[in-house]
Amino acid sequence: MKNFQFKNPTKILFGKGQIENLSKEIPENAKILLLYGGGSIKKNGIYDQVKKALSAYEVVEFGGIPANPEYSILLKALQVIKEDGINFLLAVGGGSVIDGTKFLSAAALYKGDSPWDLLTANKPTTEGMPFGTVLTLPATGSEMNSGAVITRKETKEKLAMGGPGLFPFFSILDPEVVKSIPQRQLANGITDAYTHVLEQYMTYPTGALLQDRFAESILQTLVEVAPAILKDPSDYAAASNFMWSCTMALNGLIQQGVPGDWAVHMMGHELTALYGIDHARTLAIVAPSHYRYNFDSKKEKLAQYAERIWNVVDGTVEEKAKAGIEKTEEFFHSLGIKTKLSEYTDDYSETGSIVSKRFTDRGWTGLGEHKTLSPSDAEKIVEMSY
Amino acid sequence: MKNFQFKNPTKILFGKGQIENLSKEIPENAKILLLYGGGSIKKNGIYDQVKKALSAYEVVEFGGIPANPEYSILLKALQVIKEDGINFLLAVGGGSVIDGTKFLSAAALYKGDSPWDLLTANKPTTEGMPFGTVLTLPATGSEMNSGAVITRKETKEKLAMGGPGLFPFFSILDPEVVKSIPQRQLANGITDAYTHVLEQYMTYPTGALLQDRFAESILQTLVEVAPAILKDPSDYAAASNFMWSCTMALNGLIQQGVPGDWAVHMMGHELTALYGIDHARTLAIVAPSHYRYNFDSKKEKLAQYAERIWNVVDGTVEEKAKAGIEKTEEFFHSLGIKTKLSEYTDDYSETGSIVSKRFTDRGWTGLGEHKTLSPSDAEKIVEMSY
């Protein structure tokens, strides 16, 4: 087990009716900017519940934060924060709204020239305007971590930021929201959380036995509840396990003391930036090819995964490892998620070299858990996923 | 899954050499009371490492906190805190030193008549003097939770306290300490952590699939590393999994959304208070009888446990459940832990009725996950453990 330092101060309020407790978590003198996305919260009743719970506060609203939160739109919200003297942010939405709110939390206190520096400077953010979240879409885990990914259409970029100053003060997770989520987003959420675990698990054995078992626990639970969620999202028992699994998949716990890969995300982000493919689906496109390309360095963990998650007990390490990749593809297919780039766009023939060039331009030469994956490796992996 | 609220703000510094980082975690102006136990930290080198790391601070020392931290001794430490203007506490030790430090953290800011009220008032402590810990004995999980158990010899009492104000600011977990721990305490630590998990798991199914699997992950890891730890405590890989498992067993995570039992601890505390039997051993004495006595209400979880931890796949639910209890006893025996009260004292013939009377005197009428266990039930369970 590697050395680690871990702190996660976010308070979780989980379960039915927790939105009613919102005002207990926000300081009395708060002037709140309520941030949300395309307006689904107005249809599913969450908006009304939140407004009712905030009736004692001064609240300004900023809606319209899109999936893959867009820099130019967030700059408009930043202007509202400054002009209206906002001192508390409340994200009501999924990972995009929460990530956008994290960017705003940092940007509101940023002293430098351009807030875009927060995305490019590669420095942890230690201070942000306080914020909370009401999660409406289990998937990204953003509700209990300090990271964010922001998109800039103008330059077709999708970059990450974060740091210890960007944990939500609190997050409200009411599994009843799951029943109003469209099938496509449910499948995306399951795939996203599943791949988050894989990025922290599918590396090489380091003797971190407990972390391995925790990671496997999340994978097993997602596999177990996925059919129920897709069949009947109003199944509260399944929805609550789905929601808590998504949070635990990326709140920092399972990454402690183990190597992380994250190359699947780096390649996937490019596919979203280039073609607008849903984030989760880009992960399902890239992951199987990534594991095949890096088979030798990942085969021990792939075999352990095949055994413990998919009950593949016969065969050599290589045979089990191979079966593990196939089972992963089958699982994504069972969710209605396609795993080939050509199933999403006809314009794929140059994608490998485009991704390679973008990585090179950014100076990214050592991705993956061994920090050895080059842009030309990424090119080949993306090509394998056509 | 039941509703829950969860926040754990303790920062963990895990691994070799982390004591060197002590000064980064303590405020510059701190006047520190360094608390420790019987002096083993002076033999194993931890004391010297800590003193070196604190060389820039004003440090007062208070040693001699015994196993089952004793109220009258802690009152002397409280006097030092007040007379010397201490504003930061550092516990260097195992669960007893850390629990004692939590009591002092609360008592230092307590405005009431007698600090014993903190143990009897049954009110969560929301405010304490800041403190950190350097863990030298993995077992209780106190290093990452906000609870404490304090003993008062004068009245043969052992009572619990805690609350959101009593989380350590930080805890340093260096698995290298494990190599200097005597076998008896290693066996106790494994048994203590294992039983902590059982108290939160061995109840009834609530559809909290992820929490069940996390709990099982800790049990499996403890079972897996126990032989290696006892054979060679300098095995760093085993020691690190043991240490992290003990912390995760009682840092609040696996108890979220599920019922808790804790009757084993309530009965076990009495056996320590009456006979001075090691805390962990009292749990191993009581748990099997408790599970046999409450077999019908616990059999589903007992069977699941037998299947997933001990690979008992054949038989009815009842047969598997019964095997689960037997496997638990065998596991304790494999650690050198005896599971009958008569193996610890000859003076056991009235213990059941004494425990029953003490519960009655304290008004404890509804223990266990169903809050239905009466003092006379406790009497019978203790008698079954003779």
Side-chain angles (χ1 to χ4, degrees):
Chain A
M1 198 183 297
K2 296 161 63 176
N3 279 14
F4 64 84
Q5 297 194 355
F6 175 58
K7 174 176 176 162
N8 188 324
T10 299
K11 179 174 181 180
I12 297 294
L13 294 86
F14 191 99
K16 285 180 198 175
Q18 293 278 18
I19 292 174
E20 288 170 21
N21 294 315
L22 201 43
S23 65
K24 293 181 196 154
E25 306 300 328
I26 300 178
E28 271 182 34
N29 64 348
K31 183 161 182 189
I32 301 169
L33 185 62
L34 170 62
L35 296 129
Y36 54 94
S40 62
I41 62 166
K42 292 195 175 165
K43 288 177 207 145
N44 63 17
I46 306 291
Y47 175 86
D48 291 335
Q49 288 179 54
V50 168
K51 287 288 278 189
K52 191 176 164 202
L54 295 180
S55 57
Y57 295 89
E58 201 175 337
V59 180
V60 179
E61 295 185 26
F62 189 94
I65 297 176
N68 307 308
E70 163 57 27
Y71 181 64
S72 61
I73 294 173
L74 294 171
L75 288 184
K76 289 177 193 160
L78 184 58
Q79 206 175 340
V80 175
I81 290 170
K82 291 187 170 171
E83 285 172 1
D84 289 6
I86 298 294
N87 58 18
F88 196 96
L89 309 177
L90 181 66
V92 182
S96 297
V97 174
I98 298 172
D99 279 15
T101 300
K102 286 178 182 169
F103 168 79
L104 291 170
S105 165
L109 304 189
Y110 185 64
K111 304 281 193 303
D113 291 341
S114 159
W116 188 246
D117 301 344
L118 292 162
L119 279 305
T120 54
N122 205 14
K123 268 171 64 179
T125 301
T126 55
E127 196 188 20
M129 180 174 284
F131 69 98
T133 90
V134 177
L135 182 66
T136 62
L137 183 62
T140 72
S142 189
E143 65 278 6
M144 201 184 178
N145 66 39
S146 61
V149 178
I150 303 297
T151 295
R152 191 173 187 176
K153 270 194 190 147
E154 188 189 355
T155 52
K156 288 201 176 181
E157 285 179 290
K158 187 169 179 180
L159 296 175
M161 62 174 295
L166 293 184
F167 282 99
F169 268 45
F170 63 84
S171 283
I172 293 180
L173 280 62
D174 180 347
E176 292 206 299
V177 301
V178 172
K179 67 178 179 229
S180 62
I181 300 173
Q183 287 279 313
R184 169 181 169 149
Q185 293 191 343
L186 290 172
N188 284 351
I190 296 165
T191 303
D192 198 21
Y194 198 85
T195 315
H196 286 161
V197 178
L198 292 180
E199 294 272 37
Q200 300 165 85
Y201 171 89
M202 205 61 85
T203 57
Y204 53 89
T206 57
L209 308 179
L210 185 61
Q211 288 91 326
D212 275 7
R213 291 200 185 274
F214 277 171
E216 289 154 0
S217 295
I218 302 170
L219 296 174
Q220 284 172 304
T221 303
L222 287 169
V223 168
E224 198 166 343
V225 301
I229 291 287
L230 293 177
K231 191 178 167 203
D232 177 11
S234 71
D235 176 340
Y236 184 83
S240 54
N241 280 292
F242 166 46
M243 198 167 208
W244 192 222
S245 293
C246 291
T247 301
M248 291 303 305
L250 200 54
N251 69 353
L253 183 69
I254 63 170
Q255 80 181 42
Q256 302 309 321
V258 300
D261 180 342
W262 296 106
V264 172
H265 271 70
M266 296 299 104
M267 292 180 271
H269 286 172
E270 300 303 321
L271 302 186
T272 299
L274 290 167
Y275 306 111
I277 302 169
D278 293 354
H279 169 63
R281 287 164 202 252
T282 68
L283 306 176
I285 293 166
V286 174
S289 301
H290 180 62
Y291 299 147
R292 289 193 174 101
Y293 186 82
N294 297 286
F295 189 81
D296 279 340
S297 70
K298 288 178 182 290
K299 65 185 178 188
E300 282 84 7
K301 288 303 283 285
L302 278 164
Q304 178 178 317
Y305 159 79
E307 273 185 48
R308 295 190 181 173
I309 308 302
W310 298 108
N311 204 26
V312 177
V313 290
D314 297 324
T316 62
V317 167
E318 284 75 12
E319 283 164 351
K320 286 187 220 170
K322 193 164 166 285
I325 300 173
E326 286 159 8
K327 290 284 185 186
T328 307
E329 284 176 317
E330 286 169 23
F331 177 58
F332 293 148
H333 295 160
S334 78
L335 307 174
I337 301 271
K338 292 166 181 163
T339 54
K340 289 290 174 192
L341 182 59
S342 55
E343 294 175 293
Y344 292 90
T345 174
D346 294 329
D347 186 26
Y348 59 81
S349 62
E350 301 298 323
T351 311
S353 60
I354 295 170
V355 169
S356 169
K357 183 169 182 315
R358 292 168 73 109
F359 281 15
T360 304
D361 290 349
R362 259 184 242 129
W364 290 1
T365 56
L367 294 186
E369 68 271 23
H370 295 290
K371 302 189 190 307
T372 52
L373 221 63
S374 68
S376 91
D377 291 320
E379 177 169 353
K380 287 168 198 150
I381 292 164
V382 172
E383 283 173 2
M384 283 169 71
S385 73
Y386 288 172
Chain B
M1 198 183 298
K2 296 161 63 176
N3 279 13
F4 65 84
Q5 297 196 355
F6 176 58
K7 174 176 176 161
N8 188 325
T10 299
K11 179 174 180 179
I12 297 294
L13 295 87
F14 190 100
K16 287 180 197 176
Q18 293 279 19
I19 292 175
E20 288 170 20
N21 294 316
L22 201 44
S23 66
K24 292 181 197 154
E25 306 300 329
I26 301 178
E28 271 181 35
N29 63 349
K31 184 164 181 186
I32 302 169
L33 184 63
L34 171 60
L35 296 129
Y36 56 93
S40 62
I41 61 166
K42 294 197 174 166
K43 290 178 205 141
N44 63 17
I46 306 290
Y47 175 84
D48 291 336
Q49 288 178 55
V50 168
K51 286 290 278 189
K52 192 178 160 200
L54 295 180
S55 57
Y57 295 90
E58 203 176 334
V59 180
V60 179
E61 295 186 25
F62 189 94
I65 296 176
N68 307 307
E70 163 56 28
Y71 181 64
S72 60
I73 294 173
L74 294 171
L75 288 185
K76 289 179 192 161
L78 184 59
Q79 206 175 339
V80 175
I81 291 170
K82 293 192 168 166
E83 285 173 2
D84 289 6
I86 297 293
N87 58 19
F88 196 96
L89 308 176
L90 182 65
V92 182
S96 297
V97 175
I98 298 172
D99 280 13
T101 300
K102 284 178 181 168
F103 167 77
L104 291 170
S105 165
L109 304 190
Y110 185 65
K111 305 280 195 302
D113 291 342
S114 159
W116 188 246
D117 300 345
L118 292 162
L119 278 305
T120 54
N122 207 13
K123 268 172 64 179
T125 302
T126 55
E127 195 188 23
M129 180 173 285
F131 69 99
T133 89
V134 177
L135 182 65
T136 62
L137 183 62
T140 71
S142 188
E143 66 278 7
M144 200 183 180
N145 67 40
S146 62
V149 179
I150 304 297
T151 295
R152 191 174 187 176
K153 270 192 189 149
E154 190 191 354
T155 51
K156 287 199 176 182
E157 284 179 290
K158 190 171 177 182
L159 296 175
M161 61 174 293
L166 293 184
F167 282 100
F169 268 44
F170 63 83
S171 283
I172 293 181
L173 280 61
D174 180 347
E176 292 206 297
V177 301
V178 172
K179 66 179 177 224
S180 61
I181 299 173
Q183 288 279 314
R184 168 178 169 152
Q185 293 191 342
L186 290 172
N188 284 351
I190 295 164
T191 302
D192 197 23
Y194 198 85
T195 315
H196 287 161
V197 178
L198 292 179
E199 293 273 38
Q200 301 163 85
Y201 171 89
M202 204 62 83
T203 57
Y204 52 90
T206 57
L209 308 179
L210 185 60
Q211 289 91 326
D212 274 7
R213 290 199 185 274
F214 277 171
E216 290 153 0
S217 295
I218 302 170
L219 297 174
Q220 285 172 302
T221 303
L222 287 169
V223 168
E224 199 167 342
V225 301
I229 291 287
L230 293 177
K231 192 178 164 201
D232 177 13
S234 71
D235 177 339
Y236 184 84
S240 55
N241 280 291
F242 166 45
M243 198 168 209
W244 193 222
S245 292
C246 291
T247 301
M248 292 303 305
L250 199 54
N251 70 353
L253 183 70
I254 63 169
Q255 83 182 43
Q256 302 309 321
V258 300
D261 181 342
W262 296 106
V264 172
H265 271 69
M266 295 300 102
M267 292 180 270
H269 286 171
E270 300 304 323
L271 302 186
T272 299
L274 290 168
Y275 307 110
I277 302 169
D278 292 354
H279 169 63
R281 289 167 201 251
T282 68
L283 306 176
I285 293 167
V286 175
S289 300
H290 181 62
Y291 298 147
R292 288 193 175 102
Y293 186 82
N294 297 287
F295 189 82
D296 278 341
S297 69
K298 288 179 182 288
K299 65 186 178 189
E300 282 84 7
K301 289 302 284 285
L302 278 163
Q304 178 177 317
Y305 160 79
E307 273 183 48
R308 294 189 182 175
I309 308 302
W310 298 108
N311 203 27
V312 177
V313 290
D314 297 325
T316 63
V317 167
E318 284 76 11
E319 285 163 348
K320 287 187 217 169
K322 191 163 167 284
I325 299 173
E326 287 158 8
K327 290 283 186 185
T328 307
E329 284 177 317
E330 287 168 23
F331 177 59
F332 292 149
H333 295 161
S334 78
L335 307 173
I337 300 271
K338 292 166 179 162
T339 53
K340 288 292 174 191
L341 182 58
S342 56
E343 295 173 293
Y344 292 90
T345 175
D346 293 330
D347 185 26
Y348 57 82
S349 62
E350 300 299 322
T351 312
S353 60
I354 295 170
V355 169
S356 169
K357 180 169 185 314
R358 291 169 73 108
F359 281 15
T360 304
D361 289 349
R362 262 184 240 124
W364 289 0
T365 56
L367 294 187
E369 67 271 22
H370 295 290
K371 303 191 191 303
T372 52
L373 222 62
S374 68
S376 90
D377 292 319
E379 178 169 352
K380 286 169 199 147
I381 293 164
V382 172
E383 283 173 358
M384 284 168 70
S385 73
Y386 288 172

